[in-house]
Amino acid sequence: MAHLTKDKSVKARWTCVYPTYIDANKTLAQGRRVPKVVAVEVPHPAFMADVLQTNGFTYEYEQKLFPRDAIGYGFPGRFRVQLFDSDDKPLKPEAASKMALLKFIAAAIPNSEKFKEWKIASEAEKAKQAEKAELEERAAAEKQRQQAAAAKPTSSKKKTKKKK
């Protein structure tokens, strides 16, 4: 029970971090906690876990939903991250507070391996969709040309007006 102890090394006293806290698509009223210039466009929990793990943080992922997110919106889950030891000293100097931790995670996500892999796959998918749309557009234009050509009269007789 978190309210029974002041020891910050107890798991119940670890800092909670939701993906919404660093989401650039959210407003402050919707739960973003960092400045928009620092926030991340896609704060997926997998990217956050990658950053926490590669930087040696002790954390636990919980299948929870941010209270202000409606069901089905945002990224589910939260992380409990240990910032302090039992002597109330920061474990990592770059994350001596919750805000410093949020800014650290937001700055590190674009450099994480999982994010880079996702970005490459995402750009490839966008290119594939754009190519497909272009092909569909060309096919539609060709079909329209064919329909226009079929609708025109093919008679070579010219109508002439009689002069009086």
Side-chain angles (χ1 to χ4, degrees):
M1 309 278 271
H3 66 280
L4 297 178
T5 181
K6 299 281 185 194
D7 185 6
K8 291 187 178 182
S9 66
V10 176
K11 197 173 285 188
R13 299 282 297 166
W14 291 3
T15 300
C16 287
V17 178
Y18 290 93
T20 300
Y21 291 171
I22 59 171
D23 192 345
N25 299 316
K26 301 282 186 181
T27 64
L28 291 173
Q30 291 171 329
R32 180 174 44 85
R33 301 257 178 112
V34 296
K36 200 159 193 136
V37 295
V38 178
V40 181
E41 198 69 33
V42 184
H44 196 277
F47 305 149
M48 294 174 70
D50 187 40
V51 167
L52 292 170
Q53 187 173 17
T54 55
N55 289 292
F57 285 94
T58 305
Y59 72 94
E60 181 179 280
Y61 177 77
E62 297 175 337
Q63 196 64 27
K64 299 286 187 176
L65 191 64
F66 185 66
R68 283 183 238 163
D69 281 344
I71 295 174
Y73 295 100
F75 294 105
R78 77 173 175 200
F79 293 90
R80 284 193 178 268
V81 183
Q82 183 180 11
L83 294 183
F84 302 98
D85 60 10
S86 58
D87 297 329
D88 207 23
K89 293 180 183 171
L91 294 173
K92 303 273 184 185
E94 64 268 13
S97 67
K98 184 173 187 171
M99 183 57 77
L101 174 68
L102 294 175
K103 288 180 179 179
F104 177 81
I105 293 171
I109 283 179
N111 301 323
S112 74
E113 289 302 316
K114 284 190 179 184
F115 182 81
K116 288 177 182 176
E117 291 169 6
W118 171 83
K119 189 81 167 171
I120 291 168
S122 175
E123 288 173 359
E125 183 64 30
K126 284 180 185 177
K128 190 186 292 184
Q129 288 176 352
E131 184 178 320
K132 183 180 177 183
E134 185 179 335
L135 288 174
E136 289 173 356
E137 189 177 302
R138 285 182 185 174
E142 182 63 31
K143 185 177 180 180
Q144 194 175 26
R145 274 189 241 123
Q146 289 174 354
Q147 288 175 347
K152 288 182 180 178
T154 57
S155 173
S156 61
K157 294 181 181 179
K158 292 184 179 177
K159 293 184 180 180
T160 57
K161 291 186 180 179
K162 293 183 182 180
K163 293 184 180 177
K164 292 185 182 180

